[in-house]
Amino acid sequence: MNENTKKDMGASTEAIEHHYGTGNDYFQLWLDQTMTYSCAMWDADDPEQTLDAAQLRKIDYHIEQARVRDGQRVLDIGCGWGGVLNRLVTTNNVESATGLTLSESQMDWIEDKNNDPRIEVELKSWEDHRAADGDYDAIISIGAFEHFAKLGLDSDEKVRVYRNFFKKCHGWLRSRGWMSLQTVAYGNSLQKDFDQFIAKEIFPETDTPRLFELAKGADRLFEVVCLRNDRDDYRRTLRAWYSNLKKHRDQAVALKGETESRKFEQYLRLMAYMFEVGGLDLHRVTLRKIDVPR
Ligand SMILES: C[S@@+](CC[C@H](N)C(=O)[O-])C[C@H]1O[C@@H](n2cnc3c(N)ncnc32)[C@H](O)[C@@H]1O
């Protein structure tokens, strides 16, 4: 596999839409106000903290880690329903906030809710995004890296995909630019990898990285400035989503039926357990572009 033949190494558009296309109104029942669909950042000393507050705290953490300043150009890879893009224009006064997603329903949502001309969304994989060298001051990517390598690839193949991703980001970033990345990874506490139910029913074609694969992908391209494993934050987030979904169960069943709702409940409970026991980790990684020739 060479650099130019890496297409289809990650989850396909159809596989992404299988999950994210479940329906905006369905996700709205149990996500927070910003429609953020990734691990929140909780204050461990505040058991009363709301999901909304913890999601905003997470968004601001990544914006801060990416050292975003007034008037900058920022890329959000895997922008979901646009929570980060929205925050970048309303609070951080960026020149432009570009988002990439593979989900049409997410893109429609962003275009519908935001009329800020600084926000631009592309229905495109990172593999197909085109930007000039050094075009972005900062890159943020939250909860998308998990989809970049397809289930079935061996570890070396996964590393090659991640390396291709980091090479692209390296090119798009200005000299010494910053990147803030959040991803689920296999933990070291369980020997078994992704649960078949999750792989088949919930996130088809998706395989999670191991930390060393991510690090090998970024090696000599990016300096790792900060690395956190906040797996308990994901346990708490999944519990909050589950409890919201239970609260709105009648509406959920009316929208998607009993079987689909049960499937989602099972997925949220199982994932919470996986984070609790360390079968899965949640990494937040701050990276800085290395300028020296590779
Ligand atoms: C779990 S959601 C996270 C969304 C958002 N970052 C958040 O925190 O709410 C994963 C996102 O990654 C996007 N995605 C998956 N594979 C992608 C790819 N190859 N290129 C760009 N985006 C991708 C999906 O379309 C979706 O928007």
Side-chain angles (χ1 to χ4, degrees):
M1 181 175 63
N2 76 35
E3 285 292 298
N4 302 317
T5 55
K6 288 234 170 59
K7 301 289 293 174
D8 303 326
M9 298 304 281
S12 63
T13 304
E14 296 69 37
I16 292 293
E17 203 60 9
H18 167 87
H19 185 81
Y20 300 101
T22 302
N24 292 342
D25 40 4
Y26 187 75
F27 285 104
Q28 226 179 337
L29 290 178
W30 48 281
L31 297 182
D32 69 308
Q33 296 253 328
T34 63
M35 291 285 276
T36 296
Y37 192 23
S38 52
C39 175
M41 195 168 212
W42 298 91
D43 179 348
D45 295 327
D46 182 2
E48 304 301 319
Q49 191 179 34
T50 64
L51 177 62
D52 282 281
Q55 287 294 15
L56 211 53
R57 187 164 181 250
K58 183 269 301 289
I59 290 175
D60 285 343
Y61 171 83
H62 285 289
I63 292 175
E64 199 183 304
Q65 289 303 106
R67 275 51 169 193
V68 174
R69 303 279 177 267
D70 273 23
Q72 291 196 331
R73 296 169 59 78
V74 185
L75 176 66
D76 180 5
I77 303 175
C79 63
W81 285 274
V84 166
L85 301 175
N86 201 35
R87 189 75 171 165
L88 285 168
V89 295
T90 53
T91 308
N92 300 93
N93 197 27
V94 296
E95 181 191 303
S96 67
T98 305
L100 308 180
T101 175
L102 285 182
S103 162
E104 203 164 348
S105 40
Q106 292 179 335
M107 188 181 74
D108 291 346
W109 171 277
I110 299 172
E111 289 181 344
D112 203 38
K113 305 274 172 203
N114 290 291
N115 52 11
D116 193 306
R118 291 171 296 172
I119 293 183
E120 194 190 324
V121 184
E122 292 181 14
L123 189 61
K124 224 175 233 179
S125 171
W126 57 269
E127 296 158 287
D128 300 317
H129 178 63
R130 298 284 169 262
D133 276 359
D135 214 13
Y136 296 106
D137 297 292
I139 296 177
I140 293 173
S141 185
I142 307 172
F145 197 83
E146 296 88 330
H147 294 299
F148 295 170
K150 237 183 200 143
L151 198 67
L153 297 188
D154 67 27
S155 188
D156 288 344
E157 287 171 323
K158 285 169 79 179
V159 170
R160 278 198 285 273
V161 176
Y162 300 147
R163 188 138 194 89
N164 192 28
F165 170 73
F166 283 117
K167 275 189 178 162
K168 294 224 179 221
C169 293
H170 186 273
W172 295 328
L173 271 178
R174 68 163 165 81
S175 164
R176 301 293 282 142
W178 293 83
M179 177 166 180
S180 193
L181 182 95
Q182 173 170 315
T183 184
V184 173
Y186 289 116
N188 283 328
S189 309
L190 288 187
Q191 294 306 314
K192 200 169 145 273
D193 279 352
F194 230 35
D195 189 274
Q196 281 306 302
F197 161 73
I198 300 285
K200 284 213 178 78
E201 301 282 337
I202 307 294
F203 293 114
E205 299 181 11
T206 287
D207 197 12
T208 300
R210 301 195 73 90
L211 181 58
F212 78 88
E213 293 164 346
L214 186 159
K216 272 176 116 171
D219 197 44
R220 304 242 165 134
L221 296 168
F222 286 91
E223 180 182 352
V224 177
V225 179
C226 178
L227 168 66
R228 304 168 55 129
N229 178 6
D230 291 330
R231 74 178 157 87
D232 195 59
D233 276 351
Y234 223 154
R235 180 199 56 79
R236 199 167 160 187
T237 306
L238 285 151
R239 291 260 169 88
W241 289 339
Y242 178 74
S243 131
N244 285 345
L245 186 53
K246 286 298 250 190
K247 220 179 289 165
H248 298 106
R249 189 159 210 286
D250 290 350
Q251 286 159 279
V253 172
L255 279 172
K256 300 307 293 182
E258 180 67 33
T259 312
E260 191 73 0
S261 289
R262 261 182 209 276
K263 206 170 79 178
F264 267 84
E265 285 161 15
Q266 193 183 344
Y267 137 64
L268 295 174
R269 273 208 319 265
L270 182 67
M271 293 284 282
Y273 170 76
M274 291 290 274
F275 284 102
E276 186 167 354
V277 298
L280 293 173
D281 288 338
L282 188 277
H283 294 302
R284 307 196 217 255
V285 196
T286 308
L287 301 142
R288 191 169 193 196
K289 173 173 171 167
I290 298 170
D291 283 337
V292 290
R294 301 191 287 283

